[in-house]
Amino acid sequence: MRDASFSQCTSTRILLLLISPVFMESCGAKILEKTLEQWMRYKEECLKKMANDPYPSGLFCNRTFDMYACWPDGSPGAIVNVSCPFYLPWYEKVQHGQVSRRCGLDGHWVLLNGTELWRDHSQCREEMETSTEEEGVHQLMVSLKVLYTVGYTLSLLALVFALLIFTVFRKLRCTRNYIHANLFASFGLRALSVIVKDALLEKMWGKELFEVSDWEALLSHEAAIGCRVAQVVMQYCILANHYWFLVEAVYLYKLLIGAVFSEKNYYTRYLYLGWGTPVAFVVPWMTVKYLKENAECWGVNENMAYWWIIRIPILLASLINLMIFMQILKVILAKLRASQKGYADYKLRLAKATLTLIPLFGIHEVVFIFATDEQTTGILRYIKVFFTLFLNSFQGFLVAVLYCFANKEVKFEMKKKWQLWKLDHPSLCCSQ
């Protein structure tokens, strides 16, 4: 049903929807849902016209709607021309063009290769002046999607394994590791929600549409519910992830700088801060999207003011983390100066402490904190998207490695378990 231009634009648009909601101008201002609504209106007008027009006498090709254009009855051996369909996103450019079909001498529309209906819609195709640029954007989006899908999948597997370790080994159960486990869980849920949301978007908007039922199903309210739920869950998981960064920062700050405190009492408050705070922002955002921008999978932000409902708490958490990060570095710097053994050793330990804290507090988020999506254009925008997707998708894996697999306490417990297992299974160990 769709020509190459429509398929390319739709395919690129799907990838842009998956990656970033602010890249929508790449395929024009019209969103796919509006195009589908226009197509449905075109189809209804066509069916009414076919029902009302009188039938000619003698042999003729039957009037039809072939999912692309509305065709009147055709005389045998004649070429039938109709105007380009008005639902095409680029209709203003091709409104004077025509699409053609040939009526055979036997009163049947001419087929291509004996199976497909022949149709010449070359005049209705979008001008391909920027085809090279669009192809480049499409390939870039494909590469970015592969990149972050691999990153989130690898992170999810590592985080699940890390959570199992913290669950199985009882001696690892303490407030610090409980907080780490919640951070791992937020990373895992974030990765899972992104993967599920992408799958639903691909299923909803990525399929080829040839039957009327496909288009009607795509426009139905039920089709978007699952996709919108996945979008809401994903936004909640992203916010929860950022606020567990904040919990990690607050806990370490109180541990190093604060007075003596009861860990058990504060852990309950950490749970509220990490898992409860995002609800206070996601619910208003969800309400606004439903009332004001209830289109597609809620991935398009036509009014960026609504997007600030989600962005402000993220920026706030990132700024607080940055301030706590600087304070903790001062404390670490002072302690290292007081107990330094050598200048080289002092610098190495400081660098190690700094690099360890960066992924734990999500400090990398501050790099592009003021380079908002609306302000970045051209190559800067693609650089920002690349680094954001790369860091966000692989950060879960990095955190799992640093705070679980490379942790001396964890390695000691795993080594001890391994030694005990070998003592309990001497026959298996000795046979090797």
Side-chain angles (χ1 to χ4, degrees), residues 151-166 177 180-181 183-185 187-188 241 245 248 356 359-360 393-408 410-411 414:
Y152 278 124
T153 303
L154 185 62
S155 294
L156 183 59
L157 295 174
L159 291 162
V160 169
F161 190 42
L163 284 170
L164 286 175
I165 291 174
F166 279 159
N177 286 337
H180 284 343
L183 181 65
F184 294 170
F187 268 116
N241 192 208
F245 285 150
E248 290 277 6
T356 303
L360 183 67
S393 60
F394 284 94
Q395 188 181 10
F397 174 77
L398 178 61
V399 167
V401 170
L402 285 176
Y403 302 103
C404 182
F405 306 136
N407 186 291
K408 292 181 180 179
V410 173
K411 290 195 289 186
M414 292 185 71

Side-chain angles (χ1 to χ4, degrees), residues 138-277:
H138 179 77
Q139 292 301 322
L140 176 61
M141 295 302 108
V142 171
S143 301
L144 289 176
K145 183 177 182 296
V146 172
L147 171 72
Y148 78 73
T149 301
V150 171
Y152 278 124
T153 303
L154 185 62
S155 294
L156 183 59
L157 295 174
L159 291 162
V160 169
F161 190 42
L163 284 170
L164 286 175
I165 291 174
F166 279 159
T167 303
V168 170
F169 296 103
R170 293 183 178 181
K171 290 189 176 180
L172 297 176
R173 297 176 185 176
C174 61
T175 301
R176 172 172 50 83
N177 286 337
Y178 286 156
I179 293 175
H180 284 343
N182 278 281
L183 181 65
F184 294 170
S186 70
F187 268 116
L189 290 173
R190 178 175 180 172
L192 185 62
S193 66
V194 170
I195 293 171
V196 171
K197 186 264 298 181
D198 283 6
L200 289 173
L201 274 174
E202 285 282 5
K203 181 180 179 181
M204 182 174 180
W205 300 107
K207 63 182 179 180
E208 294 292 329
L209 307 172
F210 294 104
E211 302 296 333
V212 175
S213 58
D214 291 335
W215 292 81
E216 292 175 339
L218 190 57
L219 280 173
S220 67
H221 178 67
E222 293 77 11
I225 290 179
C227 194
R228 291 170 184 172
V229 169
Q231 186 74 243
V232 171
V233 171
M234 186 190 72
Q235 297 300 339
Y236 170 81
C237 292
I238 291 173
L239 274 170
N241 192 208
H242 281 84
Y243 275 85
W244 275 105
F245 285 150
L246 182 58
V247 169
E248 290 277 6
V250 170
Y251 175 78
L252 188 55
Y253 179 80
K254 293 187 72 66
L255 200 63
L256 293 176
I257 300 173
V260 178
F261 63 94
S262 171
E263 290 191 349
K264 291 184 180 179
N265 293 337
Y266 275 90
Y267 181 65
T268 303
R269 299 181 186 181
Y270 293 151
L271 289 175
Y272 286 130
L273 177 61
W275 297 115
T277 305

Side-chain angles (χ1 to χ4, degrees), residues 59-189:
L59 188 66
F60 61 92
C61 292
N62 286 327
R63 61 194 68 176
T64 183
F65 175 61
D66 65 352
M67 308 296 289
Y68 182 84
C70 187
W71 301 96
D73 299 316
S75 302
I79 294 179
V80 179
N81 298 314
V82 295
S83 299
C84 294
F86 62 72
Y87 64 81
L88 294 174
W90 50 85
Y91 176 68
E92 291 183 1
K93 298 179 181 179
V94 297
Q95 57 184 321
H96 301 298
Q98 292 184 324
V99 56
S100 306
R101 284 180 65 172
R102 185 185 295 276
C103 180
L105 296 175
D106 56 355
H108 293 90
W109 296 106
V110 172
L111 300 177
L112 180 66
N113 299 326
T115 55
E116 299 179 4
L117 291 170
W118 176 85
R119 178 180 62 230
D120 180 10
H121 57 280
S122 57
Q123 296 182 28
C124 298
R125 290 178 178 173
E126 184 182 17
E127 294 293 333
M128 301 302 286
E129 297 174 358
T130 59
S131 59
T132 303
E133 180 182 351
E134 289 181 358
E135 181 64 26
V137 171
H138 179 77
Q139 292 301 322
L140 176 61
M141 295 302 108
V142 171
S143 301
L144 289 176
K145 183 177 182 296
V146 172
L147 171 72
Y148 78 73
T149 301
V150 171
Y152 278 124
T153 303
L154 185 62
S155 294
L156 183 59
L157 295 174
L159 291 162
V160 169
F161 190 42
L163 284 170
L164 286 175
I165 291 174
F166 279 159
T167 303
V168 170
F169 296 103
R170 293 183 178 181
K171 290 189 176 180
L172 297 176
R173 297 176 185 176
C174 61
T175 301
R176 172 172 50 83
N177 286 337
Y178 286 156
I179 293 175
H180 284 343
N182 278 281
L183 181 65
F184 294 170
S186 70
F187 268 116
L189 290 173

